Amino acid sequence: VLIPKLTEPDSNPSLMTSILAAIGELAGVSGRDMRPFTHELFPVLIELLQDLSSLQKREHALWVLGQVVENTGYVIEPYSKYPSLLAVLLNLLKTEQQPTTRREGIRVLGLLGALDPYKHKMNVMLGPLLVADTSATQSSERKGKDEPAGDSTSEMLVSMAGCPLDDFSVVLVVFLIVFEASCQCWWRCCCKGC
């Protein structure tokens, strides 16, 4: 009931902060029962964190984000589900002048948990391509086939043609690792046959 009120375009800022405060308190009281609503709430909170029109909205959105994460135990996964979350929080820390807001931002980052930087970069860069590639690899492993993973990896390289050089280097390394693993598998199959 409260989440749709946050997305109304002509909302009064004091009404928005009151709704955010209610959601934050609700998260504190309900705990894990609030978890099914996180998929609706997180995109709205991320959008409010980027809203430069009201400091109060940003502060309350940050506090609610912390309350939801702390009380539902929804940690680390939000980074992969919402790839812009880390960038938004880090940008808030860089640009925010209020020490209390910066402190709350650091607290929220701590509550969200540690993240493997490489995994996050791959998630942001490749997103659905990486998920599709790993699911194809897992499905071929389940079937017991030792087929090279050339098609999906090649498609991944072609799709990355317009990216910056350091991002392309990471993709190239991933491609070479996958290619080497498939060659080793092929070589073992050939040697067993001899």
Side-chain angles (χ1 to χ4, degrees), residues 96-132:
E96 192 58 52
Q97 298 298 317
Q98 297 292 329
T100 55
T101 307
R102 293 180 69 158
R103 191 175 308 120
E104 185 67 22
I106 292 169
R107 185 180 87 84
V108 169
L109 281 170
L111 289 170
L112 279 167
L115 177 68
D116 179 13
Y118 175 74
K119 220 178 213 183
H120 179 69
K121 187 171 184 178
M122 293 303 288
N123 184 35
V124 170
M125 275 180 21
L126 302 176
L129 286 176
L130 188 61
V131 171

Side-chain angles (χ1 to χ4, degrees), residues 162-178:
C163 71
L165 187 58
D166 63 334
D167 295 344
F168 184 75
S169 299
V170 171
V171 173
L172 186 60
V173 168
V174 170
F175 171 75
L176 291 174
I177 290 170
V178 170

